[in-house]
Amino acid sequence: MLGGSVYTAFIRFAISLAGVILLYSRMSESRFGRKRTIVCYGGFSVALITLACIWYVIDWESCVRIVAFIMYMCFAVFAIFMSRDSVYLSIYKLALTFYMMAVFVVGGLEVAVIFFDRNVWVDIIMRILLILLMTFVIDRKLKSSIRDFSDYVTKEVDKFSVAVMIISILLGIGFILNPDVRVTTPHRLYQIIINFVLTGTLQLLMFRFYLHIGKEKKYERENQLIQMNYRLLERQIEILEESVESGRRIRHDVRHNNAVIAEYVRRGQKEELLQFLKEYDRETDQGAVEMICANSAVNNILSAYTRKARNEQIKVRLDIEIGKNLAIPNIDLVAILANAYENAIYACMEVKKHSDERECSIHLMVRKRKNKLIIYCSNTCRKETELKNGQPKAEFTGGIGVSSIIKTAEKYDGEYDFKNDNGVFIFRLVMNIPADI
């Protein structure tokens, strides 16, 4: 601290606190509206700066030594309350904000001490310039990366990383509150530089680490979506091949049946002809495509998976009540149902591999209630099927599908859950049906 009157201290406190709020607000989103946020931060700043100035007048020496620590701790608690982010994510952003605060506070002090004979106004001007520079860099270069980083940290954060970040905060605070600015020596400058480099490197490593993890998870989900599309395409090809084969069989049967009918007519065997036509109608009904629901896309994909399940000796019960046209695109609806159905079939097949005694079954229900779509799927599964973060592990679902279900459900503000009820796996989903455009 370079000393000066209480008015000078007030300006310093105001600039430092305003800089911290500005930098933090560029990286964090408030839980309140813009006007309320400004009012809250404004009231907090006035109260905190006033108390700091009173402290400066009463006990200058103790104020100089720990006022930065106290002000930042108060700001940290208030910022966590104001932020929409989780506590863990707020701590990460506060750590980065504090590091930048150390840069403009210590930078301003050192420039004033070394080059301008402890000029207080140089310190103030340098702080303002450094704050503006860092704000510009965040807005132009780092904002999108920080936004991605926030999403990744929210999903991948762990207690160890939080502990490491807290340690880095404490180390930075310990340095910022104990610089001996009365004596300028090369050794002290060396300590300052090393401290900044180490703390900055730790911040950068954690930032890059979670960016890498997040991008890897993103690529993994994209790969799963590609595989899902591939598998859906396979099912559609199966349906097409069955249709082609059915068409060939129908053409062959038509020629044969026409010949039989012509022979009955030539012989005048009317009773025999009527009996033949009744049997032909019965066989035609048996070979017709099963009508599960009015939606053709859903009907086709469920028909394909139902045949697959029954071929694996799995009992299937379908309860589908949806109309021909939903506001939800067919590709999204099919993505959820196909993945849920295929995971259920996979789970039943795993049970059959490990035990021949249990009877495997699948119950799939889809219903529309007002502006909600309700999907329920239960199936036999291994009793040891485990959940991680509320989701089944990949080894119990075949490794594909769950993330696609979740991503599609979240697209429509859906609420979902998975559970293993003593060997019966249950998936439930309720999501909004968008209004017709």
PDB file of all heavy atoms in Angstrom, residues 377-400:
ATOM      1  N   CYS A 377     -40.691 -47.528 -19.938  1.00  0.00           N
ATOM      2  CA  CYS A 377     -40.154 -48.794 -20.446  1.00  0.00           C
ATOM      3  C   CYS A 377     -39.572 -49.574 -19.274  1.00  0.00           C
ATOM      4  O   CYS A 377     -38.707 -49.067 -18.555  1.00  0.00           O
ATOM      5  CB  CYS A 377     -39.081 -48.547 -21.513  1.00  0.00           C
ATOM      6  SG  CYS A 377     -38.425 -50.085 -22.234  1.00  0.00           S
ATOM      7  N   SER A 378     -40.067 -50.791 -19.090  1.00  0.00           N
ATOM      8  CA  SER A 378     -39.517 -51.673 -18.063  1.00  0.00           C
ATOM      9  C   SER A 378     -39.105 -52.983 -18.715  1.00  0.00           C
ATOM     10  O   SER A 378     -39.755 -53.440 -19.665  1.00  0.00           O
ATOM     11  CB  SER A 378     -40.535 -51.924 -16.947  1.00  0.00           C
ATOM     12  OG  SER A 378     -41.653 -52.631 -17.441  1.00  0.00           O
ATOM     13  N   ASN A 379     -38.045 -53.562 -18.231  1.00  0.00           N
ATOM     14  CA  ASN A 379     -37.550 -54.804 -18.807  1.00  0.00           C
ATOM     15  C   ASN A 379     -36.784 -55.598 -17.762  1.00  0.00           C
ATOM     16  O   ASN A 379     -36.266 -55.048 -16.781  1.00  0.00           O
ATOM     17  CB  ASN A 379     -36.640 -54.524 -20.007  1.00  0.00           C
ATOM     18  CG  ASN A 379     -35.439 -53.680 -19.663  1.00  0.00           C
ATOM     19  OD1 ASN A 379     -35.508 -52.457 -19.741  1.00  0.00           O
ATOM     20  ND2 ASN A 379     -34.341 -54.304 -19.272  1.00  0.00           N
ATOM     21  N   THR A 380     -36.720 -56.875 -17.991  1.00  0.00           N
ATOM     22  CA  THR A 380     -35.908 -57.740 -17.139  1.00  0.00           C
ATOM     23  C   THR A 380     -34.437 -57.376 -17.314  1.00  0.00           C
ATOM     24  O   THR A 380     -33.983 -57.114 -18.428  1.00  0.00           O
ATOM     25  CB  THR A 380     -36.122 -59.215 -17.519  1.00  0.00           C
ATOM     26  OG1 THR A 380     -37.523 -59.490 -17.549  1.00  0.00           O
ATOM     27  CG2 THR A 380     -35.435 -60.141 -16.522  1.00  0.00           C
ATOM     28  N   CYS A 381     -33.700 -57.344 -16.210  1.00  0.00           N
ATOM     29  CA  CYS A 381     -32.276 -57.029 -16.284  1.00  0.00           C
ATOM     30  C   CYS A 381     -31.534 -57.801 -15.206  1.00  0.00           C
ATOM     31  O   CYS A 381     -32.154 -58.422 -14.322  1.00  0.00           O
ATOM     32  CB  CYS A 381     -32.036 -55.514 -16.121  1.00  0.00           C
ATOM     33  SG  CYS A 381     -32.346 -54.893 -14.455  1.00  0.00           S
ATOM     34  N   ARG A 382     -30.239 -57.755 -15.278  1.00  0.00           N
ATOM     35  CA  ARG A 382     -29.412 -58.387 -14.244  1.00  0.00           C
ATOM     36  C   ARG A 382     -29.574 -57.607 -12.941  1.00  0.00           C
ATOM     37  O   ARG A 382     -29.588 -56.379 -12.938  1.00  0.00           O
ATOM     38  CB  ARG A 382     -27.956 -58.409 -14.682  1.00  0.00           C
ATOM     39  CG  ARG A 382     -27.700 -59.305 -15.893  1.00  0.00           C
ATOM     40  CD  ARG A 382     -26.326 -59.082 -16.480  1.00  0.00           C
ATOM     41  NE  ARG A 382     -25.273 -59.338 -15.490  1.00  0.00           N
ATOM     42  CZ  ARG A 382     -23.979 -59.098 -15.695  1.00  0.00           C
ATOM     43  NH1 ARG A 382     -23.604 -58.564 -16.864  1.00  0.00           N
ATOM     44  NH2 ARG A 382     -23.104 -59.359 -14.776  1.00  0.00           N
ATOM     45  N   LYS A 383     -29.661 -58.317 -11.830  1.00  0.00           N
ATOM     46  CA  LYS A 383     -29.875 -57.669 -10.542  1.00  0.00           C
ATOM     47  C   LYS A 383     -28.698 -56.788 -10.148  1.00  0.00           C
ATOM     48  O   LYS A 383     -28.847 -55.851  -9.373  1.00  0.00           O
ATOM     49  CB  LYS A 383     -30.139 -58.716  -9.465  1.00  0.00           C
ATOM     50  CG  LYS A 383     -31.455 -59.458  -9.670  1.00  0.00           C
ATOM     51  CD  LYS A 383     -31.726 -60.437  -8.544  1.00  0.00           C
ATOM     52  CE  LYS A 383     -33.069 -61.119  -8.751  1.00  0.00           C
ATOM     53  NZ  LYS A 383     -33.385 -62.078  -7.661  1.00  0.00           N
ATOM     54  N   GLU A 384     -27.521 -57.094 -10.694  1.00  0.00           N
ATOM     55  CA  GLU A 384     -26.335 -56.304 -10.352  1.00  0.00           C
ATOM     56  C   GLU A 384     -26.158 -55.080 -11.246  1.00  0.00           C
ATOM     57  O   GLU A 384     -25.136 -54.387 -11.178  1.00  0.00           O
ATOM     58  CB  GLU A 384     -25.066 -57.160 -10.427  1.00  0.00           C
ATOM     59  CG  GLU A 384     -24.810 -57.818 -11.774  1.00  0.00           C
ATOM     60  CD  GLU A 384     -25.414 -59.204 -11.892  1.00  0.00           C
ATOM     61  OE1 GLU A 384     -26.434 -59.458 -11.211  1.00  0.00           O
ATOM     62  OE2 GLU A 384     -24.885 -60.023 -12.655  1.00  0.00           O
ATOM     63  N   THR A 385     -27.139 -54.813 -12.105  1.00  0.00           N
ATOM     64  CA  THR A 385     -27.059 -53.614 -12.943  1.00  0.00           C
ATOM     65  C   THR A 385     -26.917 -52.374 -12.070  1.00  0.00           C
ATOM     66  O   THR A 385     -27.739 -52.123 -11.197  1.00  0.00           O
ATOM     67  CB  THR A 385     -28.315 -53.473 -13.825  1.00  0.00           C
ATOM     68  OG1 THR A 385     -28.411 -54.619 -14.681  1.00  0.00           O
ATOM     69  CG2 THR A 385     -28.236 -52.216 -14.680  1.00  0.00           C
ATOM     70  N   GLU A 386     -25.861 -51.588 -12.320  1.00  0.00           N
ATOM     71  CA  GLU A 386     -25.560 -50.432 -11.477  1.00  0.00           C
ATOM     72  C   GLU A 386     -25.831 -49.132 -12.217  1.00  0.00           C
ATOM     73  O   GLU A 386     -25.794 -49.070 -13.446  1.00  0.00           O
ATOM     74  CB  GLU A 386     -24.089 -50.475 -11.025  1.00  0.00           C
ATOM     75  CG  GLU A 386     -23.744 -51.685 -10.184  1.00  0.00           C
ATOM     76  CD  GLU A 386     -22.272 -51.710  -9.797  1.00  0.00           C
ATOM     77  OE1 GLU A 386     -21.553 -50.757 -10.159  1.00  0.00           O
ATOM     78  OE2 GLU A 386     -21.843 -52.669  -9.135  1.00  0.00           O
ATOM     79  N   LEU A 387     -26.092 -48.094 -11.427  1.00  0.00           N
ATOM     80  CA  LEU A 387     -26.286 -46.753 -11.958  1.00  0.00           C
ATOM     81  C   LEU A 387     -25.136 -45.876 -11.501  1.00  0.00           C
ATOM     82  O   LEU A 387     -24.620 -46.022 -10.397  1.00  0.00           O
ATOM     83  CB  LEU A 387     -27.604 -46.152 -11.470  1.00  0.00           C
ATOM     84  CG  LEU A 387     -28.885 -46.922 -11.798  1.00  0.00           C
ATOM     85  CD1 LEU A 387     -30.087 -46.195 -11.236  1.00  0.00           C
ATOM     86  CD2 LEU A 387     -29.042 -47.115 -13.294  1.00  0.00           C
ATOM     87  N   LYS A 388     -24.742 -44.954 -12.363  1.00  0.00           N
ATOM     88  CA  LYS A 388     -23.720 -43.972 -12.034  1.00  0.00           C
ATOM     89  C   LYS A 388     -24.252 -42.602 -12.392  1.00  0.00           C
ATOM     90  O   LYS A 388     -24.609 -42.357 -13.533  1.00  0.00           O
ATOM     91  CB  LYS A 388     -22.420 -44.253 -12.810  1.00  0.00           C
ATOM     92  CG  LYS A 388     -21.304 -43.269 -12.472  1.00  0.00           C
ATOM     93  CD  LYS A 388     -20.039 -43.589 -13.252  1.00  0.00           C
ATOM     94  CE  LYS A 388     -18.937 -42.607 -12.918  1.00  0.00           C
ATOM     95  NZ  LYS A 388     -17.703 -42.882 -13.705  1.00  0.00           N
ATOM     96  N   ASN A 389     -24.333 -41.711 -11.394  1.00  0.00           N
ATOM     97  CA  ASN A 389     -24.915 -40.382 -11.579  1.00  0.00           C
ATOM     98  C   ASN A 389     -26.339 -40.471 -12.114  1.00  0.00           C
ATOM     99  O   ASN A 389     -26.768 -39.681 -12.960  1.00  0.00           O
ATOM    100  CB  ASN A 389     -24.050 -39.541 -12.526  1.00  0.00           C
ATOM    101  CG  ASN A 389     -22.664 -39.291 -11.982  1.00  0.00           C
ATOM    102  OD1 ASN A 389     -22.473 -39.168 -10.767  1.00  0.00           O
ATOM    103  ND2 ASN A 389     -21.676 -39.233 -12.862  1.00  0.00           N
ATOM    104  N   GLY A 390     -27.075 -41.473 -11.621  1.00  0.00           N
ATOM    105  CA  GLY A 390     -28.465 -41.631 -12.016  1.00  0.00           C
ATOM    106  C   GLY A 390     -28.672 -42.257 -13.374  1.00  0.00           C
ATOM    107  O   GLY A 390     -29.797 -42.306 -13.869  1.00  0.00           O
ATOM    108  N   GLN A 391     -27.595 -42.769 -14.013  1.00  0.00           N
ATOM    109  CA  GLN A 391     -27.694 -43.362 -15.340  1.00  0.00           C
ATOM    110  C   GLN A 391     -27.068 -44.750 -15.328  1.00  0.00           C
ATOM    111  O   GLN A 391     -26.107 -44.994 -14.595  1.00  0.00           O
ATOM    112  CB  GLN A 391     -26.979 -42.492 -16.377  1.00  0.00           C
ATOM    113  CG  GLN A 391     -27.499 -41.071 -16.453  1.00  0.00           C
ATOM    114  CD  GLN A 391     -26.672 -40.217 -17.393  1.00  0.00           C
ATOM    115  OE1 GLN A 391     -25.952 -40.727 -18.257  1.00  0.00           O
ATOM    116  NE2 GLN A 391     -26.767 -38.910 -17.231  1.00  0.00           N
ATOM    117  N   PRO A 392     -27.597 -45.675 -16.129  1.00  0.00           N
ATOM    118  CA  PRO A 392     -27.003 -47.017 -16.182  1.00  0.00           C
ATOM    119  C   PRO A 392     -25.618 -46.980 -16.800  1.00  0.00           C
ATOM    120  O   PRO A 392     -25.361 -46.214 -17.734  1.00  0.00           O
ATOM    121  CB  PRO A 392     -27.993 -47.795 -17.063  1.00  0.00           C
ATOM    122  CG  PRO A 392     -28.674 -46.758 -17.888  1.00  0.00           C
ATOM    123  CD  PRO A 392     -28.757 -45.532 -17.019  1.00  0.00           C
ATOM    124  N   LYS A 393     -24.734 -47.802 -16.267  1.00  0.00           N
ATOM    125  CA  LYS A 393     -23.386 -47.867 -16.821  1.00  0.00           C
ATOM    126  C   LYS A 393     -23.405 -48.480 -18.212  1.00  0.00           C
ATOM    127  O   LYS A 393     -24.296 -49.257 -18.561  1.00  0.00           O
ATOM    128  CB  LYS A 393     -22.484 -48.683 -15.896  1.00  0.00           C
ATOM    129  CG  LYS A 393     -22.196 -48.008 -14.562  1.00  0.00           C
ATOM    130  CD  LYS A 393     -21.200 -48.825 -13.758  1.00  0.00           C
ATOM    131  CE  LYS A 393     -20.845 -48.117 -12.448  1.00  0.00           C
ATOM    132  NZ  LYS A 393     -19.863 -48.907 -11.649  1.00  0.00           N
ATOM    133  N   ALA A 394     -22.391 -48.123 -19.009  1.00  0.00           N
ATOM    134  CA  ALA A 394     -22.366 -48.540 -20.420  1.00  0.00           C
ATOM    135  C   ALA A 394     -22.353 -50.054 -20.577  1.00  0.00           C
ATOM    136  O   ALA A 394     -22.956 -50.591 -21.503  1.00  0.00           O
ATOM    137  CB  ALA A 394     -21.142 -47.935 -21.114  1.00  0.00           C
ATOM    138  N   GLU A 395     -21.686 -50.770 -19.654  1.00  0.00           N
ATOM    139  CA  GLU A 395     -21.571 -52.217 -19.802  1.00  0.00           C
ATOM    140  C   GLU A 395     -22.909 -52.928 -19.629  1.00  0.00           C
ATOM    141  O   GLU A 395     -23.055 -54.094 -19.996  1.00  0.00           O
ATOM    142  CB  GLU A 395     -20.555 -52.787 -18.804  1.00  0.00           C
ATOM    143  CG  GLU A 395     -20.875 -52.498 -17.348  1.00  0.00           C
ATOM    144  CD  GLU A 395     -20.148 -51.269 -16.833  1.00  0.00           C
ATOM    145  OE1 GLU A 395     -19.897 -50.349 -17.640  1.00  0.00           O
ATOM    146  OE2 GLU A 395     -19.830 -51.246 -15.631  1.00  0.00           O
ATOM    147  N   PHE A 396     -23.916 -52.229 -19.073  1.00  0.00           N
ATOM    148  CA  PHE A 396     -25.222 -52.847 -18.877  1.00  0.00           C
ATOM    149  C   PHE A 396     -26.223 -52.418 -19.939  1.00  0.00           C
ATOM    150  O   PHE A 396     -27.373 -52.855 -19.907  1.00  0.00           O
ATOM    151  CB  PHE A 396     -25.764 -52.493 -17.484  1.00  0.00           C
ATOM    152  CG  PHE A 396     -24.934 -53.032 -16.357  1.00  0.00           C
ATOM    153  CD1 PHE A 396     -24.125 -52.192 -15.615  1.00  0.00           C
ATOM    154  CD2 PHE A 396     -24.943 -54.378 -16.055  1.00  0.00           C
ATOM    155  CE1 PHE A 396     -23.354 -52.683 -14.571  1.00  0.00           C
ATOM    156  CE2 PHE A 396     -24.176 -54.881 -15.013  1.00  0.00           C
ATOM    157  CZ  PHE A 396     -23.379 -54.040 -14.272  1.00  0.00           C
ATOM    158  N   THR A 397     -25.826 -51.552 -20.854  1.00  0.00           N
ATOM    159  CA  THR A 397     -26.745 -51.082 -21.899  1.00  0.00           C
ATOM    160  C   THR A 397     -26.191 -51.285 -23.301  1.00  0.00           C
ATOM    161  O   THR A 397     -26.845 -50.902 -24.268  1.00  0.00           O
ATOM    162  CB  THR A 397     -27.055 -49.583 -21.714  1.00  0.00           C
ATOM    163  OG1 THR A 397     -25.849 -48.829 -21.861  1.00  0.00           O
ATOM    164  CG2 THR A 397     -27.654 -49.318 -20.349  1.00  0.00           C
ATOM    165  N   GLY A 398     -25.017 -51.851 -23.418  1.00  0.00           N
ATOM    166  CA  GLY A 398     -24.399 -51.986 -24.718  1.00  0.00           C
ATOM    167  C   GLY A 398     -23.542 -50.804 -25.094  1.00  0.00           C
ATOM    168  O   GLY A 398     -22.936 -50.778 -26.155  1.00  0.00           O
ATOM    169  N   GLY A 399     -23.503 -49.782 -24.233  1.00  0.00           N
ATOM    170  CA  GLY A 399     -22.583 -48.664 -24.426  1.00  0.00           C
ATOM    171  C   GLY A 399     -23.110 -47.528 -25.260  1.00  0.00           C
ATOM    172  O   GLY A 399     -22.469 -46.506 -25.407  1.00  0.00           O
ATOM    173  N   ILE A 400     -24.300 -47.656 -25.836  1.00  0.00           N
ATOM    174  CA  ILE A 400     -24.829 -46.613 -26.712  1.00  0.00           C
ATOM    175  C   ILE A 400     -26.289 -46.368 -26.348  1.00  0.00           C
ATOM    176  O   ILE A 400     -27.000 -47.278 -25.956  1.00  0.00           O
ATOM    177  CB  ILE A 400     -24.737 -47.029 -28.196  1.00  0.00           C
ATOM    178  CG1 ILE A 400     -23.311 -47.420 -28.549  1.00  0.00           C
ATOM    179  CG2 ILE A 400     -25.211 -45.930 -29.117  1.00  0.00           C
ATOM    180  CD1 ILE A 400     -23.173 -48.003 -29.916  1.00  0.00           C
TER     181      ILE A 400
END
